[in-house]
Amino acid sequence: MNVEIEATWKENLQPEFDKTYFKELVAFVKSEYQSTTVYPSGKLIFNAFNLCPFHQVKVVIIGQDPYHGPGQAHGLCFSVQDGIPFPPSLRNIFKEIDNDLHIPIPKSGNLTRWAQQGVFLLNATLTVQANQAGSHQKKGWEPFTDAAIKRIADEKEHVVFILWGAYAQRKADMIDKSKHLILESVHPSPLSASRGFFGNHQFSKTNEYLLFHKKEPIQW
C-alpha cells in the first residue's frame, strides 16, 4: 500500500503498510472522514512523522489521542494550532519548563518548533471523531504507532523517551534501557500534575543526556 509519509519513515515502516490490520485501518479512517467530522484534517494525520524524520529523532513524547475540539489537533501530541487556547495539560507542561529551565510560557501552544528539532510528538491513536474522546482507539492505530516506537528503540541509540502517565509508561517494555534514557512521571493533566509532574525536571534532564551523547539540546 502506498502511504504518503516522510521518506525515511516510509522506508522504516513499509512492512506495516502491507499488513491486513493497516489496510482495515485505512478503510475505517476513510469512511469516518466521509461520514463524520474527524480530527486532525487528513493532510495532518502523519504530521509528527513528516516534521521529524526517522534519522532526526532525538526525543520521543507519547500521547494517547488527538484533541477532539475544533481547530486544536494538528498531528502532534499535546500541541495545538496557533491562536488556540492552551489545553490544561499543555499549560502545565509550559509551567514545568518555566520552573525547570526558566523559559517563559510562550504565546502559542504550537509545538512544531520542537518537532523540527528532533522531538517526535506521537499520539498512540492518530485520529479521533469530533467531541468523542477515544473514538478511534483499538481500530488499528496502536499496532502502527507501537511499530514506530519499536523501530526507534531498536535501530537508534541514545534517544530520550518521555512517558507521562500509565498509558505511555506501558510502552517502556519495548525500549532497551541500556541504550536509551526513559523518563517517567505522572501525566501533566490537572488531575495528577501536582503528584509528581511539577518538579520532575525532565526537560533539563533530557538536554543533559543529549549533551552527554554529543547531540544538540532541545530549545524548549
Side-chain angles (χ1 to χ4, degrees):
M1 177 175 287
N2 183 39
V3 177
E4 290 187 18
I5 194 170
E6 189 275 332
T8 61
W9 278 112
K10 190 167 193 171
E11 180 184 346
N12 277 278
L13 294 174
Q14 187 60 52
E16 301 304 308
F17 302 143
D18 297 322
K19 291 180 180 177
T20 300
Y21 87 83
F22 193 84
K23 294 174 182 176
E24 292 172 351
L25 169 65
V26 168
F28 166 76
V29 170
K30 280 183 177 176
S31 70
E32 286 283 282
Y33 274 96
Q34 289 165 359
S35 62
T36 188
T37 302
V38 176
Y39 299 124
S41 64
K43 68 181 186 297
L44 294 175
I45 291 173
F46 295 114
N47 203 25
F49 298 81
N50 294 335
L51 289 173
C52 185
F54 181 83
H55 62 283
Q56 293 180 12
V57 174
K58 296 188 288 191
V59 180
V60 178
I61 299 179
I62 298 171
Q64 192 162 354
D65 261 353
Y67 296 121
H68 52 79
Q72 292 179 305
H74 64 126
L76 305 176
C77 72
F78 294 104
S79 179
V80 289
Q81 300 190 61
D82 293 326
I84 299 295
F86 300 164
S89 293
L90 181 58
R91 180 167 293 281
N92 286 339
I93 289 168
F94 287 145
K95 283 181 180 176
E96 175 56 21
I97 291 171
D98 185 19
N99 169 65
D100 186 12
L101 294 167
H102 309 295
I103 296 171
I105 293 173
K107 289 184 169 58
S108 173
N110 188 329
L111 303 181
T112 295
R113 59 193 176 82
W114 291 8
Q116 291 171 334
Q117 295 178 75
V119 183
F120 187 45
L121 295 162
L122 181 68
N123 276 315
T125 302
L126 298 186
T127 54
V128 69
Q129 195 178 121
N131 306 313
Q132 298 289 327
S135 51
H136 286 187
Q137 290 178 7
K138 299 180 181 175
K139 302 294 185 182
W141 279 127
E142 293 90 343
F144 175 73
T145 53
D146 279 355
I149 295 166
K150 193 161 191 334
R151 193 73 180 162
I152 294 168
D154 290 351
E155 298 300 322
K156 297 177 73 72
E157 289 188 331
H158 311 313
V159 173
V160 182
F161 289 84
I162 298 177
L163 310 179
W164 294 327
Y167 184 88
Q169 287 163 15
R170 288 200 288 272
K171 309 297 183 183
D173 291 344
M174 293 187 277
I175 304 159
D176 183 348
K177 296 179 179 66
S178 71
K179 64 174 185 170
H180 301 291
L181 176 64
I182 300 176
L183 297 175
E184 301 184 30
S185 84
V186 297
H187 197 274
S189 158
L191 298 173
S192 56
S194 61
R195 301 200 307 268
F197 180 77
F198 292 133
N200 67 24
H201 299 287
Q202 292 184 350
F203 301 97
S204 59
K205 289 175 182 175
T206 294
N207 280 351
E208 288 164 8
Y209 181 84
L210 293 175
L211 283 166
F212 182 81
H213 290 287
K214 298 179 172 51
K215 298 185 181 186
E216 279 289 314
I218 306 301
Q219 299 298 316
W220 298 108

